Amino acid sequence: MTAPALKLVDAHEPTRTASDRLEIMHALIAAPSFDPLYRHDVINVPGDHPFYGWHCQVAGCGRAQSENRDFCSGHDVEWLAWRRGGGNIVEFKEDAQPLPARSNPTVVPCSICPEIPATGSDGLCYLHAQRLASWRKARRQAGRESDLSSWVVTQKPFPGFGTCQVATCPVLADTPLRLCRRHVYRYQREGVPGGARLPVGWTPAMLQRGLAVLVQYDDEQAFRRWCSDSRPAARMNGQLSLLGLRPLVKAEIKWAMFRVAQLSSEVRLWPVPWIQHLADACREQDVNSLLDLDVPKLRTTIRPPAREMTKQLRQIYISRDDTKDAGYIDTAHYGVRIAGRGSFIDMSGVTQRWLRDLLWDWIDERLTTNPPRGISTLTVPRQACIELSAFLEAHAPGGGHDPSQLAKKHAVDFVADQRHRAEHGLRSLGIHQTRSTPQPATVTKYMVMRTFSGARHVLRATLDTGQADRIGLGREFVCAIPLATVKPGRRRPFPDEVAQALGDSSNLARLEALDVDDRGLRDIWEILIITGRRSGEVSGLRLDCISRMRNLPMFWHDQTKVGKLDQAIRIPEWLYERIELRQATTTARFVQGHGRPPTHQERAVLALFPSRRANPDGRRSVTNSWFGVSFGKWIDILDIGKFVPHQARHTLATNLLRAGADLVHIKRYLGHVSERMTEHYVHIANTDPRLEDALNAVWVAGPGAAQPGIVLSSSDPMTREQAEALAIDLTRRSTPAEGGFCTFQPVVNGNACPWNMDCHNCDKFVMSGADLIYWHRKREQWRMLAERAPDGPTADYLHSVFEPTARAIEGLEKALGGLGLLEEALALDLRRPQDYFGRAWSLAFRAQDLARHDVELEAEAEYGA
């Protein structure tokens, strides 16, 4: 079933129509603050314009810049050679010699015919240039000298032919065919459509005698169509022709050029030929507005100006509420800018209006109350709704456009369809591989997880807000979308052989060879593997990213993902020196481009790894994707398997744990927001002997017996045999509880606790070595309470209440000491799920047994003495 297309804006909604938009554009253009340069249909941009300038930067050079360059093609070659020799741009500009223009920078009239443009270096029109050539030839054959000034006084002017008939051309014609010289050449090159020609035997003298020269056609309509469709000829540098465009799109380009030049801090970002190509594309697509332009069909170079212009226009034409009807949402309306992403989020792929409105309301609420730091928070629900919409369009009654007709079975069918596609690797219904390609994406289990999660977020919100009842959407349909049950696998640390290959000096030299522009590819990688930072944090470093604090080398960076800015960690001395070398390279590049070193204010914003493209002030860093692509090429060259840079972070976290750091320290070093995230990065290997010791830490019984025991008087530790005799196998007959484990079998089997979960006063409660620190803290809390008691009797009472627990804690310490695991228990301050399967979780002691054993030791010591 074909999905119905969504309108840009519904006709019945109170939004701006095309005539309203034209009035707005005319009012903006007529404003006093509007630059008069952009008011004409033919815009002649000065060569030194701060944004659209086109002059070669060499003083006196008559040629135009190459695209995205500061110099013309001739001087650009000289500058590259000069820069390779170590020279800077100021020295080059002083030494470079200006080059003459290849053609007239402006159209000038013929020196004889004021109504016809000159075409040659003699300043004559085409007709007089032909006469001059014939006269000179005749003079040469006669052996006589040709004096141009004497010939000019004998000539009479030809009458003008008006403007070129090509609709986009503003230049005067120079023949009775009424085409300018360059369009004459193009007309002949394209096969003379329509067969327009001058009559046989006509002469220029007929024009001077006032005789009519009638143009003959084979097909006049074909000739007129060619004049209407032909693009403007490349003629003058900085000239932009908007002739032949519809009034609204013409006004939009004028205003957008002015607006973007006002807002942008970049210089010469968009060459005028790019905007001319954009205007030609509008003419070819016959659009009424820039918003109607099919951007993916444009050539690559003109997509950026097209997107930026339409972005500025949307903010004027369509309010935030109007975007709901238009089928998209713009984060700029909320003052939210997500780094590296555009502000436009298209929702037109959701064909059911009710579902699209729910999606819009959900994103609107998120942008208003809690703007996300990443775009995936918004795009995952969008893609999920697109996939659900495509399924409903094909399988639900009425294409799913009436939510009251949807039942639980439709949601269950959607879930089953998604799982079936993931199981067999089938194509998606609505999600595509990229925005510009129509190829559907292959469904994976991870994609299904994202689809269920995104759809559930949007649909469950309707139950909280009451929207489901208002639109008639059944609760059973919403609740049938399941929770995401498949979690994405975490990345592993680098295996030893891979880590050795990625750190080998010869392999690092091969990585450096891929960096043909010396943008710091190897430096980024070495910083990553030493510091464990995120790759985006390293590639976006500023120039002043290192310093010394008390003679210690410090590395400063922004942890933007977690909102921590200007964070510092210690780094090795050799890495500090390597970053200093990169700073010197970047500074030298700045000096070459500006002829002076950067100021202190500029150093704070300059990129340590500057991008090569569109970066005149050096603030734009290389992109994270550039580093990722280059790293992937390096991995393919080494032929060691498939690995990604982020695995260096996992490797460092695991190595820190093996070196003795706890999760708190690793969390702080890696810049995580929670220890749960740190556990995601810490990989535990049972074959590591040091880690094996940590997992085999003894877990002992807790203090919560009905008669917990008495204070131990003996300081002698238990023997290993005595401790093992008291050990309880908790792997089969226990369940975790607060501060220890419950061994009451009905509770272990899932039944309710008959003592209302009063674990600490229960003789079925045991505790482990992992909880030793927990009980130490409890003991400190009771001591502090007793110290703060208002009088002595109250303090004595509090001590007596905690006395049984204190006895069990001392028995626990003696048991751990007997097995030689007391130090490990004191260092282990956090339970991890994987710890339940080690020997440390399978050994415990009853509190009563610990207390009874302590009594026996006291008796033996007393009677033995």
Side-chain angles (χ1 to χ4, degrees):
M1 179 181 293
T2 304
L6 292 171
K7 299 177 181 178
L8 178 65
V9 178
D10 291 345
H12 63 278
E13 293 294 335
T15 187
R16 298 184 176 101
T17 62
S19 59
D20 295 333
R21 295 177 178 181
L22 185 57
E23 290 179 4
I24 293 174
M25 286 293 104
H26 283 168
L28 291 173
I29 293 173
S33 59
F34 190 84
D35 192 340
L37 171 69
Y38 305 100
R39 286 197 174 113
H40 306 286
D41 290 349
V42 179
I43 302 173
N44 292 301
V45 179
D48 57 352
H49 193 277
F51 190 82
Y52 302 106
W54 49 270
H55 270 165
C56 176
Q57 294 300 297
V58 173
C61 183
R63 300 183 182 180
Q65 298 171 352
S66 299
E67 289 188 1
N68 279 336
R69 300 288 185 177
D70 290 331
F71 305 105
C72 63
S73 57
H75 282 127
D76 191 57
V77 173
E78 296 178 6
W79 160 238
L80 294 177
W82 185 279
R83 188 174 63 181
R84 284 193 295 268
N88 63 56
I89 195 168
V90 174
E91 297 170 347
F92 172 75
K93 289 181 178 180
E94 292 175 352
D95 185 79
Q97 299 299 316
L99 299 175
R102 292 195 177 97
S103 60
N104 290 329
T106 58
V107 176
V108 296
C110 173
S111 58
I112 300 175
C113 314
E115 298 179 359
I116 302 178
T119 58
S121 59
D122 293 328
L124 300 175
C125 64
Y126 174 72
L127 297 178
H128 278 114
Q130 285 185 318
R131 280 192 169 186
L132 176 61
S134 301
W135 178 76
R136 283 176 172 173
K137 181 179 179 181
R139 301 282 288 185
R140 278 196 310 271
Q141 292 175 349
R144 302 173 62 184
E145 295 182 358
S146 54
D147 182 12
L148 179 61
S149 58
S150 61
W151 176 82
V152 167
V153 297
T154 62
Q155 300 302 307
K156 295 181 180 179
F158 292 108
F161 306 108
T163 307
C164 177
Q165 292 191 79
V166 174
T168 61
C169 185
V171 182
L172 296 174
D174 61 0
T175 67
L177 199 58
R178 287 193 58 200
L179 294 176
C180 67
R181 180 52 37 193
R182 297 198 181 190
H183 275 114
V184 168
Y185 295 149
R186 178 181 295 181
Y187 182 63
Q188 294 171 350
R189 188 169 57 250
E190 295 180 3
V192 195
R197 60 191 181 277
L198 296 176
V200 178
W202 85 279
T203 62
M206 298 172 60
L207 299 173
Q208 294 176 334
R209 293 197 300 269
L211 300 178
V213 180
L214 300 178
V215 180
Q216 300 175 351
Y217 306 94
D218 293 336
D219 186 349
E220 186 173 358
Q221 293 301 322
F223 174 73
R224 300 300 175 192
R225 282 195 302 272
W226 181 88
C227 293
S228 176
D229 298 340
S230 184
R231 292 189 172 195
R235 186 180 307 276
M236 285 172 38
N237 294 321
Q239 185 181 81
L240 173 65
S241 173
L242 302 179
L243 299 172
L245 292 174
R246 295 196 175 188
L248 179 58
V249 70
K250 185 188 302 183
E252 288 174 344
I253 293 177
K254 294 177 182 178
W255 180 83
M257 287 181 66
F258 168 71
R259 179 65 173 171
V260 172
Q262 270 189 324
L263 297 178
S264 179
S265 61
E266 303 287 348
V267 293
R268 296 181 295 279
L269 185 60
W270 296 348
V272 175
W274 288 12
I275 306 177
Q276 183 65 68
H277 295 324
L278 176 61
D280 296 340
C282 293
R283 194 179 298 107
E284 292 169 358
Q285 295 186 20
D286 196 26
V287 296
N288 185 58
S289 169
L290 280 174
L291 299 184
D292 302 331
L293 198 61
D294 191 351
V295 176
K297 290 184 178 180
L298 302 178
R299 64 172 66 181
T300 306
T301 55
I302 61 177
R303 289 177 189 173
R307 290 195 178 103
E308 183 61 29
M309 287 182 176
T310 54
K311 171 185 173 182
Q312 298 297 330
L313 290 170
R314 285 193 187 97
Q315 296 178 15
I316 290 181
Y317 288 162
I318 305 176
S319 66
R320 182 171 57 197
D321 294 335
D322 289 336
T323 61
K324 190 172 186 178
D325 300 314
Y328 73 91
I329 201 165
D330 193 342
T331 63
H333 283 136
Y334 302 84
V336 176
R337 176 178 176 84
I338 299 177
R341 301 285 181 174
S343 63
F344 182 79
I345 301 175
D346 184 21
M347 301 180 185
S348 59
V350 183
T351 58
Q352 293 80 11
R353 179 58 188 265
W354 64 270
L355 181 57
R356 192 186 72 187
D357 288 348
L358 294 182
L359 174 62
W360 192 95
D361 291 338
W362 186 90
I363 297 180
D364 172 76
E365 177 68 18
R366 183 61 193 270
L367 290 173
T368 302
T369 60
N370 184 22
R373 63 171 180 260
I375 194 66
S376 61
T377 304
L378 307 179
T379 56
V380 168
R382 168 187 169 273
Q383 292 177 348
C385 289
I386 289 176
E387 188 72 3
L388 176 60
S389 173
F391 177 84
L392 296 178
E393 195 70 52
H395 301 285
H401 291 274
D402 185 359
S404 62
Q405 296 183 12
L406 299 178
K408 178 180 179 180
K409 65 176 183 178
H410 300 116
V412 173
D413 290 343
F414 169 70
V415 172
D417 177 75
Q418 286 295 297
R419 291 171 174 166
H420 174 77
R421 291 177 184 276
E423 184 70 23
H424 299 282
L426 302 179
R427 296 288 185 177
S428 169
L429 290 172
I431 302 175
H432 298 89
Q433 291 179 348
T434 62
R435 180 173 56 184
S436 58
T437 58
Q439 183 69 26
T442 301
V443 180
T444 63
K445 291 184 178 180
Y446 180 56
M447 186 184 297
V448 170
M449 183 270 292
R450 289 163 60 94
T451 299
F452 290 166
S453 177
R456 187 178 177 88
H457 271 103
V458 175
L459 295 178
R460 288 300 292 264
T462 64
L463 300 179
D464 300 332
T465 60
Q467 287 179 298
D469 295 334
R470 287 195 293 271
I471 64 177
L473 182 63
R475 181 182 181 86
E476 63 279 2
F477 176 85
V478 175
C479 296
I481 304 295
L483 287 170
T485 56
V486 178
K487 300 295 183 183
R490 59 180 182 176
R491 303 192 186 279
R492 299 178 179 178
F494 291 126
D496 290 343
E497 62 277 7
V498 174
Q500 292 173 1
L502 296 179
D504 182 74
S505 58
S506 60
N507 290 338
L508 290 174
R510 301 170 76 175
L511 174 64
E512 197 169 11
L514 295 175
D515 190 8
V516 293
D517 293 322
D518 190 21
R519 296 290 157 177
L521 182 61
R522 176 175 174 174
D523 293 338
I524 294 176
W525 171 239
E526 297 212 33
I527 294 174
L528 279 178
I529 59 178
I530 296 301
T531 64
R533 302 301 93 184
R534 303 172 182 91
S535 56
E537 295 171 358
V538 176
S539 61
L541 284 172
R542 299 296 97 185
L543 187 62
D544 285 339
C545 63
I546 55 174
S547 64
R548 291 190 180 273
M549 305 291 291
R550 296 184 178 179
N551 205 31
L552 296 177
M554 305 298 292
F555 175 75
W556 297 87
H557 61 288
D558 292 337
Q559 299 172 3
T560 53
K561 185 176 181 179
V562 293
K564 297 180 179 179
L565 304 180
D566 222 15
Q567 300 294 305
I569 59 173
R570 276 192 61 181
I571 56 175
E573 189 67 34
W574 70 266
L575 182 60
Y576 186 90
E577 294 174 355
R578 186 169 192 90
I579 296 177
E580 281 185 321
L581 293 176
R582 175 51 53 184
Q583 287 179 326
T585 301
T586 303
T587 302
R589 184 176 283 118
F590 183 91
V591 172
Q592 282 189 326
H594 297 78
R596 58 174 177 82
T599 64
H600 291 292
Q601 292 79 7
E602 289 173 331
R603 291 182 66 90
V605 296
L606 283 177
L608 179 63
F609 307 105
S611 173
R612 184 176 65 88
R613 297 180 179 276
N615 194 23
D617 55 5
R619 298 187 180 188
R620 179 176 298 177
S621 299
V622 295
T623 62
N624 194 25
S625 60
W626 170 82
F627 172 74
V629 171
S630 302
F631 182 86
K633 293 179 181 178
W634 183 44
I635 292 294
D636 292 339
I637 293 173
L638 299 181
D639 194 21
I640 55 177
K642 293 297 182 182
F643 298 95
V644 296
H646 200 67
Q647 288 176 263
R649 190 167 168 85
H650 292 258
T651 305
L652 179 64
T654 304
N655 289 339
L656 287 174
L657 181 68
R658 292 176 178 176
D662 59 23
L663 290 182
V664 175
H665 295 127
I666 299 174
K667 167 182 173 290
R668 185 177 301 171
Y669 186 82
L670 295 183
H672 288 153
V673 294
S674 66
E675 292 181 354
R676 180 181 178 184
M677 176 57 68
T678 305
E679 288 185 5
H680 179 80
Y681 279 79
V682 173
H683 296 250
I684 303 226
N686 290 331
T687 57
D688 191 313
R690 288 167 295 182
L691 199 53
E692 190 73 21
D693 291 340
L695 289 178
N696 288 337
V698 174
W699 303 90
V700 298
Q707 296 179 354
I710 61 175
V711 177
L712 300 176
S713 60
S714 173
S715 60
D716 296 331
M718 290 183 186
T719 65
R720 188 177 185 87
E721 291 75 15
Q722 290 171 331
E724 289 180 349
L726 298 177
I728 301 174
D729 185 2
L730 295 180
T731 57
R732 293 186 297 275
R733 46 188 187 140
S734 68
T735 184
E738 182 183 359
F741 296 90
C742 177
T743 60
F744 188 59
Q745 293 306 299
V747 175
V748 174
N749 294 333
N751 296 324
C753 175
W755 298 287
N756 197 25
M757 300 182 68
D758 186 14
C759 298
H760 296 175
N761 293 316
C762 179
D763 61 350
K764 307 298 182 183
F765 178 79
V766 296
M767 73 184 202
S768 68
D771 299 303
L772 181 60
I773 300 298
Y774 169 84
W775 290 108
H776 278 188
R777 291 171 179 167
K778 283 288 186 182
R779 183 168 59 188
E780 292 299 324
Q781 290 176 0
W782 277 91
R783 288 177 177 174
M784 293 176 64
L785 288 174
E787 290 175 357
R788 297 174 182 174
D791 50 40
T794 304
D796 294 340
Y797 171 76
L798 292 174
H799 283 302
S800 65
V801 171
F802 192 74
E803 182 178 0
T805 303
R807 293 175 181 174
I809 293 174
E810 292 180 7
L812 173 60
E813 291 174 341
K814 288 178 179 271
L816 291 170
L819 294 176
L821 294 172
L822 181 58
E823 293 184 1
E824 285 82 350
L826 291 173
L828 186 64
D829 196 14
L830 178 70
R831 290 182 181 176
R832 294 182 297 260
Q834 59 266 32
D835 293 335
Y836 284 92
F837 302 100
R839 190 171 74 90
W841 286 99
S842 64
L843 294 178
F845 302 91
R846 293 189 184 277
Q848 289 176 322
D849 296 337
L850 291 172
R852 187 182 304 114
H853 176 74
D854 193 53
V855 172
E856 293 173 356
L857 289 177
E858 287 184 347
E860 290 178 2
E862 181 179 357
Y863 293 127

